[in-house]
Structures are given as C-alpha cells and as structure tokens.
Amino acid sequence: MVDDEPAFELSFYCGTCPLLFRRLEGAKEKLSLEGVQEQLSDALHELDDGGVIDAYASLLPEGEYLPLLLSVEPRLVVPGKEGDYFSGEQVTTWGIDQFWGLPEYPHTPYYRTFETVVDTNAHLYEFVVPMVPPAWNERQRVKEYVTLMEQGSVPTAVAVSTLDVCKPAVGASVDHYQHWGLTHFLLDGHHKLEAAATASQPVQILSLLTLGESLAGGEDCARLPTLRAQPGAARSERA
C-alpha cells in the first residue's frame, strides 16, 4: 500500500500458489527521502550508517523488520522475454494459469539479481521491483550514475522486502521443488538500479525485510544472511 492505495498484489497466503508480485495502479511514485541522500550516494559500511533505517521507518507500517545490507548485480527483465522468471522457472514448476491459459504477469519490468540452492528440494530467487517503470527514470541521472559506477562508486538503494516460500500442492510438474522468493520493492534507488544494470556494475541495497507480510516463517528468514553469502547458482541448474 502507498498512501492507502494498493501498490502491489503479493503471493497468495496458502503457500501452494505461485510466487507473485504484480504492480497495481497505486505504484506511481518513488519514495526517496532528501535527508539521507548524501549517505546513500556511496556504499554503507554498516546497517544503520547515518540513520537511514530510522529515516525510512517513518514511511513503513509498524511491525517487525529484519534489515539486510546486500550487494547485487542487477539485470533488467521484461515480462515474457528472455530471463523472465514468471514465464520460465515458474511455469516449469506450476505450469500456466489454468483460467487465463497464460503465465503469471507482474505488470512491470523488474531486476533479477541473485539465486542459489537452499537444499536439494528448494531454490532461492531474488528480485528487485521498481515502484515505477525504468522508462520513467530521468535519462541524465542514469548516465551520471553509470559514469560514477564505472569509476568505482557503489551507491546504495533502499527497499522494503518480503520472503515468500511457495511449493505446488502436488508433484505432477516438470520440475517440482520449493521456490523461495526474496523480493525487494524499491523505495529509493530507481536510477541507481537502472545504471547498475546498464553498466553491469554492482549496487548496494539496504533491505528492510518485513516479517509480518512474508509467507516465510521466522526460521527461514533468519537463514537469509547465510544463503545470500553463498555463491550464486547458474540459471541453467533449475531452468
């Protein structure tokens, strides 16, 4: 929700339906805070470097959050095209939607950043989802960040995140396993993410993982720092 308007539809709570983030009409603005822009212009060295968490806490609903400081190398994905999780790995496990006869559709371009094996029956996929399409970004600002990143700068974005753990109820799919979806909804850093994807450079994300809105339990969420420290898996391993 943004200003009491639905911004994204999320995974259904049953845990057997496919992973989902779907942009709605309430997702129409970025949520940057001017007071912390200087701190976010470079990498943070610790979780609450410069009071960024306290600043963004004023935007978020009261609840329990797990802060994570992550380095990502984003690649931009357009739904239905190469690299799209929803028409790729998800279809392999769940098949297409039986009513629409189509894959799930997120209504937004998004970034894929990291994936790894959780265990023999589970795989973690990570996504960064902009509040507004990259096409809305200012071209000059993206170019400026590209230049800075090519010179070695690693700026920081801020996101509120969810961890959903989903698995089909029956094992009749081509590739039946549990999908862990770590999804970061960008609050600040839209130009930074596009620049990093354009220049194939890393960018840092301060993730505020909401435990109350995630389908994963507390024990699974607590595993994220260890899982994110593992080497990334090649997409072909599960594709």
Side-chain angles (χ1 to χ4, degrees):
M1 304 288 287
V2 176
D3 294 333
D4 296 324
E5 290 187 38
F8 282 90
E9 180 183 355
L10 304 181
S11 305
F12 196 58
Y13 67 88
C14 68
T16 59
C17 294
L19 174 74
L20 180 65
F21 52 83
R22 178 178 289 131
R23 181 172 174 246
L24 305 175
E25 292 184 358
K28 56 189 177 185
E29 60 181 306
K30 304 166 187 176
L31 297 170
S32 301
L33 295 178
E34 292 297 329
V36 293
Q37 289 306 300
E38 183 176 351
Q39 293 93 314
L40 298 176
S41 63
D42 211 337
L44 299 180
H45 299 292
E46 54 188 41
L47 275 170
D48 202 16
D49 191 355
V52 177
I53 292 178
D54 286 342
Y56 274 92
S58 65
L59 295 181
L60 300 177
E62 183 177 346
E64 188 174 1
Y65 295 83
L66 173 66
L68 301 166
L69 197 55
L70 307 172
S71 176
V72 302
E73 296 183 12
R75 60 189 186 278
L76 183 62
V77 172
V78 175
K81 296 189 176 181
E82 182 180 357
D84 178 28
Y85 165 82
F86 295 98
S87 56
E89 294 95 333
Q90 189 176 92
V91 168
T92 304
T93 297
W94 274 271
I96 61 175
D97 184 278
Q98 293 302 301
F99 180 80
W100 297 109
L102 296 167
E104 296 289 350
Y105 189 71
H107 288 185
T108 182
Y110 61 94
Y111 300 94
R112 295 191 67 166
T113 53
F114 178 81
E115 58 188 80
T116 192
V117 173
V118 177
D119 55 41
T120 56
N121 296 307
H123 201 88
L124 172 69
Y125 299 98
E126 184 179 59
F127 313 95
V128 179
V129 185
M131 293 295 292
V132 299
W136 291 18
N137 291 337
E138 298 173 20
R139 296 300 99 203
Q140 185 58 38
R141 287 191 65 190
V142 173
K143 290 179 181 178
E144 290 170 358
Y145 276 118
V146 167
T147 299
L148 290 171
M149 291 178 180
E150 289 177 340
Q151 294 172 351
S153 176
V154 183
T156 303
V158 181
V160 59
S161 310
T162 58
L163 176 65
D164 293 341
V165 176
C166 306
K167 185 177 181 179
V170 294
S173 63
V174 174
D175 196 4
H176 185 89
Y177 63 100
Q178 195 175 62
H179 291 221
W180 289 40
L182 176 58
T183 307
H184 308 293
F185 297 92
L186 274 183
L187 302 177
D188 179 278
H190 289 71
H191 296 90
K192 298 169 186 175
L193 262 292
E194 185 182 353
T198 300
S200 299
Q201 296 290 331
V203 65
Q204 193 177 66
I205 291 184
L206 174 60
S207 161
L208 304 174
L209 179 72
T210 170
L211 302 184
E213 298 298 328
S214 296
L215 296 186
E219 291 184 2
D220 290 339
C221 292
R223 294 182 63 186
L224 278 177
T226 300
L227 291 171
R228 274 302 266 98
Q230 293 180 175
R235 290 192 63 242
S236 58
E237 290 183 16
R238 297 299 325 193

